[in-house]
Amino acid sequence: MTTPSSPACGLARSLLAPKPARALLPRCMLLGMAVGAILAGSPAAHAESFAPAKAGAAWQSVDCKTFDVPAAVAAQSDCGYVTVPEQHALPKGPTIQLAAVRIRSTSKSPAADPLFVEQGGPGDSTIGVIVDWAVPTLPELQAVLRSRDLVFVEERGTRYSKPFLSCPEYDAKNIAVAKGEMAYTDPSWFKTCQERFKAQGINLNAFNTRENAADVYFVAETLGYRAFNYYGVSYGTLLGQYVIAQADKHKAKLRSVILDGVVRPDIDFNLAGGHSVSFALRNLFHACAQHQRCGKAYPNLERKFLAIVDQLNQKPVPLTLTTRVSKQAFVTQVDGNGFATAVLYALLRPYSGNTARGTSIPKYIHAASQGDFGWAADYLASDLESSDGSAKGMYHSVLCARAKSVLATPSQVLPPAFPQLIAWGTREAETVANVCAVLQADLKPPYVYENTDIPTLVLNGAYDPVTPQPYGQAVAGNLKTAYVYTFPGLGHGSFFPPPGMPATDCVMQIATDFLAKPRQAPNSSCLTQVKPLFVVE
């Protein structure tokens, strides 16, 4: 099979980005936080807000243009690098630099506990995706700025931090796979990348979630914050859980946490890819059947979808793809896995292009049942090349280091997968395992839930094919104070629906209510107004 890279290998890459300006989803399908005895609900609202002049010695201010921050955002921001230990257990050892952006609150008297925001991947750029694109485009973060500062830490190894663990070899691998010139599970691309890192003196064993979590605290303390809140999406939710676990080990105190599109720490989300996509599709198929116009226009979606996968596995169809960066055009053969990958990309961001009209996925599946796969070309081509610099070295160092935490099987945590998709998840897991065999990362101890009294808001999307609702519910079940909400019709990352949708105002209300009083259940009555939307033609 010669389809492009499918996403079950990661969590969330550029999940916020509109098509086609950014990839609709990660190059690899996927995909916090802070400390201690919190003063839940006890706002430090009268404390003095941070100013760059009061930052610790580890802070170095830079022009926000260094991080490509739009001028309007830069005008209310402080940008810089924070020098942190390469390994926090060796504070006098080698160091690395983390890019950071602090956007000042629009309030005249902001709360003293900012919201730290972290992107997914692992390996995606928090600054590149959220600061540079989402802040000036979407209203959700502007709502938070009305009460407190926002702080964005570019996770170690990602685009604007130093070093940047980019592997351009991965782009070449994707294109070779799509052309049928390379096996999907071949790890040889990583060998070349790893050799380059070694030559540069980069210690890949320092790039893992434990160190990432310690970075969050280090930056908070460097910037002079005594307490903070945390928001993470996709891999950022796994990072958030590690930040919670470290909450009693640092000076800065974690007041509250928002987890959006939640990763279970004990599951291999790549291996579970067939199960999680099946879960999301069943939700979508049911919602369409219950919708008067969608159900009438596109009946029997599950049967059609599975029939298409079976047919393509027997006889793949040719499809011309054009890469986004180098503009290479070539013909690939789309089999059942490739078709499922295109649908997955559409599920990750069901309302793409900032339109609130509805999701086109039922229309796409119906078109494919009629032999029309033209819509799939954009989705499959969108992730062949990394236009915004995903850090594939960091992605694999993070996943490989946490192998001991994977204790549950997909069948233990999710309903049965469509049989046609089980092998797809197995292939994704094998692809990562092959890279881990090359990397030989130091394995970290299994994740353990600690500091479970920190208030946590859990957000799920009903169509999320990577981190489905049961993941969020399971994580919340291990926390003493957790509020769980699932948004109908949304995909991966519920906090960022397009403007104009009922879900947009609803998620803003729930999040701001929670941040104001994290030990009190937020007003979620607006969820009754959030309905799935479909494009019917």
Side-chain angles (χ1 to χ4, degrees), residues 89-370:
L90 301 173
K92 296 184 179 180
T95 60
I96 60 175
Q97 288 186 302
L98 307 178
V101 175
R102 171 216 177 215
I103 305 179
R104 298 182 293 275
S105 172
T106 54
S107 171
K108 293 182 180 179
S109 56
D113 43 21
L115 179 66
F116 274 59
V117 178
E118 295 298 336
Q119 165 67 319
D124 294 345
S125 171
T126 295
I127 294 175
V129 174
I130 303 183
V131 177
D132 297 353
W133 179 77
V135 171
T137 304
L138 302 178
E140 292 85 344
L141 292 173
Q142 296 297 329
V144 176
L145 280 171
R146 289 194 284 270
S147 63
R148 53 187 24 89
D149 296 344
L150 290 172
V151 179
F152 305 84
V153 180
E154 189 83 335
E155 294 158 22
R156 57 172 56 203
T158 58
R159 181 179 179 184
Y160 292 109
S161 290
K162 301 178 182 179
F164 172 27
L165 303 185
S166 174
C167 289
E169 295 86 355
Y170 189 71
D171 290 354
K173 179 251 187 181
N174 281 339
I175 294 172
V177 169
K179 290 180 176 180
E181 299 170 352
M182 188 176 191
Y184 187 91
T185 57
D186 189 334
S188 59
W189 65 274
F190 185 77
K191 294 179 182 178
T192 305
C193 192
Q194 183 183 36
E195 289 171 359
R196 185 173 65 256
F197 292 151
K198 288 181 178 178
Q200 295 170 355
I202 295 172
N203 176 17
L204 285 179
N205 283 317
F207 295 83
N208 57 69
T209 307
R210 286 174 173 251
E211 300 291 349
N212 286 340
D215 288 342
V216 173
Y217 289 103
F218 192 99
V219 172
E221 292 163 10
T222 296
L223 299 187
Y225 292 115
R226 297 181 180 179
F228 65 99
N229 307 277
Y230 179 89
Y231 166 89
V233 60
S234 194
Y235 166 71
T237 68
L238 181 63
L239 173 55
Q241 293 170 70
Y242 276 77
V243 175
I244 291 173
Q246 292 186 18
D248 57 351
K249 298 176 177 63
H250 302 271
K251 293 179 180 179
K253 303 303 177 185
L254 181 62
R255 178 174 177 263
S256 70
V257 173
I258 301 175
L259 303 179
D260 184 8
V262 184
V263 180
R264 273 188 66 148
D266 61 349
I267 192 76
D268 179 345
F269 54 77
N270 287 303
L271 181 62
H275 289 72
S276 56
V277 172
S278 298
F279 185 90
L281 285 174
R282 288 189 177 107
N283 285 341
L284 183 143
F285 296 157
H286 176 75
C288 178
Q290 297 298 309
H291 187 277
Q292 185 176 5
R293 294 186 64 219
C294 185
K296 182 177 180 180
Y298 310 120
N300 304 314
L301 280 177
E302 180 175 321
R303 179 181 59 79
K304 289 179 181 177
F305 171 78
L306 296 177
I308 295 166
V309 173
D310 288 336
Q311 291 166 12
L312 292 177
N313 281 334
Q314 295 175 9
K315 186 178 180 181
V317 298
L319 191 66
T320 299
L321 304 182
T322 301
T323 61
R324 299 238 183 256
V325 180
S326 61
K327 303 301 180 182
Q328 299 180 56
F330 56 86
V331 176
T332 191
Q333 297 293 318
V334 178
D335 63 5
N337 283 337
F339 175 68
T341 298
V343 173
L344 166 67
Y345 286 159
L347 280 168
L348 282 161
R349 195 66 178 161
Y351 307 102
S352 61
N354 278 1
T355 175
R357 289 181 62 208
T359 178
S360 296
I361 297 173
K363 182 184 74 170
Y364 292 155
I365 293 174
H366 177 75
S369 72
Q370 305 297 310

